[in-house]
Structures are given as C-alpha cells and as structure tokens.
C-alpha cells in the first residue's frame, strides 16, 4: 500500500487570499481618492488613512448634491445663501403645490452651486406617523451628470 502526500499538490486558500489582497493594494495605489464618504466611517482600504473615501466621481457628486440640498440656508458661516429651505418648507406649510415650490428651491440652489448637474425629475410623498416612526417626506430626485442618470433619495422628518 502506498501513501500519497498532498502537501504540495496545489495552492492553499490562504496563499490565494494573500495574493488577492496584494493585487488589490497594488490596484488601489494607482487610484487617488476624490472625497470623503458621508456619513463619516473609518477607512477600510489600504490607502485610506482615517476616513472612508470615494473613488468614483458620480458617487462624490451624489454625496455633494445630498449635502447641498439638506443644508439649511444660513447654516454655513460666511455663506448664508448656501443650501435650501426644504426642511422649513415641509415643516411649516400645508400647501397643495409644495412639490413645485420645493423643486424651484432645489433648482435655484443646484443651478448656482452645482451647474454641471441637470435635474430631471422631483417627487415627494408624505409618509404618515406610525408607532415606530414620526411622519416624514420621502423625496426622490432624478438628475443627470456626465450623461449618466442617477437617483437621490432623501427623508425629511416633519414636526407635525
């Protein structure tokens, strides 16, 4: 009876994983980050220091657009016109044409601060309060950047 030793019959999973990690590090070294992912979270890739970074231009535009829309006017020191009044608008009015007013507010702000983004569609729907959550508006914005259509979903809590 003969004995077979399979010690060197192939590659181990550990060596394959090590090779893949090494290749991923080499691939990521050539790509520079564009911005920081928000909300902030710890960096997980090899070339990220403190915070997780974005490497895709479209992802960074989405983050910047979301922040631009959710910033309240007057909230940024030295730039009182930056942002929108959407939160105040949805909290203080019961207008039937609230979508039109909100879209105009978003359109003016985006045209001023991010003119390279073209807005396509804006919809919002009111979600009533439940036992688990307070009432809020779901906002869906369809926009175009670099001939790529993207969607931005936002939730605005109401104080009603």
């Amino acid at each position: 009876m003969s004995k077979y030793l399979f010690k060197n019959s192939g590659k181990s999973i550990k060596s394959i994983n090590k090779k893949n990690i090494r290749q991923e590090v080499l691939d990521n070294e050539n790509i520079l980050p564009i911005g920081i992912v928000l909300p902030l979270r710890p960096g997980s890739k090899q070339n990220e220091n403190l915070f997780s970074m974005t490497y895709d231009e479209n992802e960074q535009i989405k983050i910047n657009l979301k922040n631009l829309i959710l910033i309240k006017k007057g909230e940024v020191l030295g730039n009182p016109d930056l942002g929108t009044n959407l939160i105040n608008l949805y909290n203080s009015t019961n207008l039937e044409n609230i979508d039109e007013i909100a879209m105009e507010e978003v359109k003016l702000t985006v045209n001023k601060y991010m003119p390279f983004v073209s807005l396509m569609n804006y919809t919002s729907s009111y979600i009533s309060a439940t036992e688990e959550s307070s009432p809020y508006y779901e906002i869906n914005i369809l926009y175009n950047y670099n001939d790529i259509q993207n969607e931005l979903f936002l939730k605005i809590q109401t104080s009603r």
Side-chain angles (χ1 to χ4, degrees):
M1 179 144 102
S2 62
K3 290 186 176 181
Y4 292 98
L5 297 175
F6 293 101
K7 190 173 185 180
N8 292 324
S9 63
K11 296 181 180 178
S12 69
I13 293 174
K14 187 176 180 181
S15 67
I16 292 173
N17 287 340
K18 197 181 272 189
K19 180 182 175 187
N20 289 342
I21 290 171
R22 196 175 314 121
Q23 185 61 43
E24 185 179 345
V25 168
L26 290 174
D27 290 344
N28 287 338
E29 284 181 7
N30 297 332
I31 301 172
L32 295 175
I34 295 173
I36 298 173
V37 174
L38 294 173
L40 294 175
R41 57 180 177 243
S44 60
K45 294 184 180 175
Q46 185 70 22
N47 58 345
E48 294 175 342
N49 292 331
L50 185 58
F51 299 116
S52 186
M53 307 294 282
T54 59
Y55 295 91
D56 181 35
E57 189 175 5
N58 288 317
E59 183 183 353
Q60 189 61 45
I61 291 296
K62 189 174 195 174
I63 291 170
N64 291 348
L65 183 61
K66 178 181 177 181
N67 286 328
L68 178 65
I69 291 170
L70 292 179
I71 290 174
K72 294 179 186 177
K73 282 190 176 183
E75 197 173 44
V76 176
L77 189 62
N79 201 348
D81 195 38
L82 181 71
T84 64
N85 286 324
L86 281 188
I87 295 171
N88 294 338
L89 181 69
Y90 281 113
N91 277 324
S92 63
T93 59
N94 289 326
L95 300 174
E96 290 181 14
N97 61 346
I98 195 165
D99 280 348
E100 295 171 17
I101 297 169
M103 181 59 190
E104 190 62 32
E105 178 83 19
V106 169
K107 190 187 303 182
L108 289 172
T109 303
V110 170
N111 286 340
K112 182 174 182 178
Y113 292 101
M114 296 178 79
F116 45 85
V117 173
S118 58
L119 299 174
M120 311 291 280
N121 193 12
Y122 180 97
T123 57
S124 71
S125 57
Y126 180 73
I127 308 300
S128 300
T130 62
E131 289 181 15
E132 293 84 30
S133 67
S134 58
Y136 62 92
Y137 279 90
E138 282 185 347
I139 297 174
N140 182 13
I141 299 174
L142 183 66
Y143 67 95
N144 193 4
Y145 173 72
N146 273 350
D147 296 327
I148 299 173
Q149 281 191 358
N150 291 305
E151 279 187 297
L152 179 64
F153 298 101
L154 303 171
K155 287 185 179 181
I156 295 182
Q157 293 288 122
T158 59
S159 57
R160 293 182 215 163

